[in-house]
Amino acid sequence: MLSMDKFPINTKEFRKLMMLTVFFAALGALFYFVHVGQLAWTILIVSALVWFVIEAQNDRKRLSRALEVGVFLFLFDFAFENSGWLLGLWHTVSAYAIGVVPLEVIGICFFGGTAWALYLPKKFNLWHSAIDCLVFALFGSLGEWLLIHQGLFYYNLWWSTPLAFLAYLGTWIILHFVKYRIVKV
């Protein structure tokens, strides 16, 4: 049995992950109870920018390498979202988009991905990475579900929230590989 005092995650890093989880839950509650429409995109990009500023101030030495992870996430998301759109699996509603990808989502991926790379432990920790992947997959798929209810995102054909969860989980597994094995932030 694994007791919490022997839990192999740094307390400071685990606290950050829990703070992110609480913030994601608060955003989820806001989007569930309040119809904000297009303002949802603005709330999400501002959140990513604030997180980026916080993390960048705490670790400027690793910033240039973390920016590479942000660029990777932006490019990966851009290709994935537009591929799904071209296959007729989903579409978004945004005042400004390239293909189907709202400009705000491009910023969320770039700034949020960079912040994410900085918030993670410098050294790979399987427990932290596993929990992180599950948290981001859960809130990513929940976020899409909430954007559907905001009238900003639509699933077509056979795409669904459980498949979105698996897609986010796969994306975050790939991101951990990129962060720790390729970019080495």
Side-chain angles (χ1 to χ4, degrees), residues 19-174:
M19 287 173 28
L20 280 172
T21 302
V22 168
F23 180 72
F24 293 158
L27 275 179
L30 171 67
F31 291 170
Y32 183 78
F33 291 111
V34 180
H35 182 76
V36 294
Q38 287 287 323
L39 185 59
W41 297 125
T42 305
I43 292 168
L44 293 171
I45 184 63
V46 168
S47 297
L49 282 167
V50 168
W51 187 27
F52 168 77
V53 168
I54 291 167
E55 293 297 335
Q57 287 178 347
N58 290 335
D59 199 346
R60 290 180 187 240
K61 287 192 295 187
R62 298 186 313 147
L63 182 57
S64 63
R65 302 295 291 175
L67 288 167
E68 293 176 34
V69 175
V71 168
F72 174 82
L73 180 57
F74 146 61
L75 293 172
F76 182 85
D77 178 75
F78 186 81
F80 190 83
E81 280 196 60
N82 278 311
S83 296
W85 172 56
L86 291 171
L87 291 171
L89 299 178
W90 54 71
H91 68 277
T92 60
V93 176
S94 175
Y96 307 101
I98 300 174
V100 74
V101 185
L103 291 181
E104 296 90 346
V105 171
I106 291 170
I108 291 163
C109 289
F110 176 70
F111 291 108
T114 302
W116 173 84
L118 290 170
Y119 117 86
L120 283 174
K122 290 176 183 154
K123 189 175 174 188
F124 178 75
N125 179 303
L126 180 62
W127 285 96
H128 193 282
S129 289
I131 294 168
D132 181 79
C133 287
L134 289 172
V135 165
F136 277 85
L138 174 69
F139 283 103
S141 56
L142 175 64
E144 283 189 6
W145 181 80
L146 291 165
L147 289 171
I148 289 168
H149 291 282
Q150 291 288 330
L152 301 175
F153 204 98
Y154 295 91
Y155 290 158
N156 303 317
L157 301 175
W158 46 267
W159 195 256
S160 64
T161 300
L163 289 174
F165 174 83
L166 293 175
Y168 276 101
L169 185 61
T171 299
W172 252 258
I173 290 169
I174 291 167

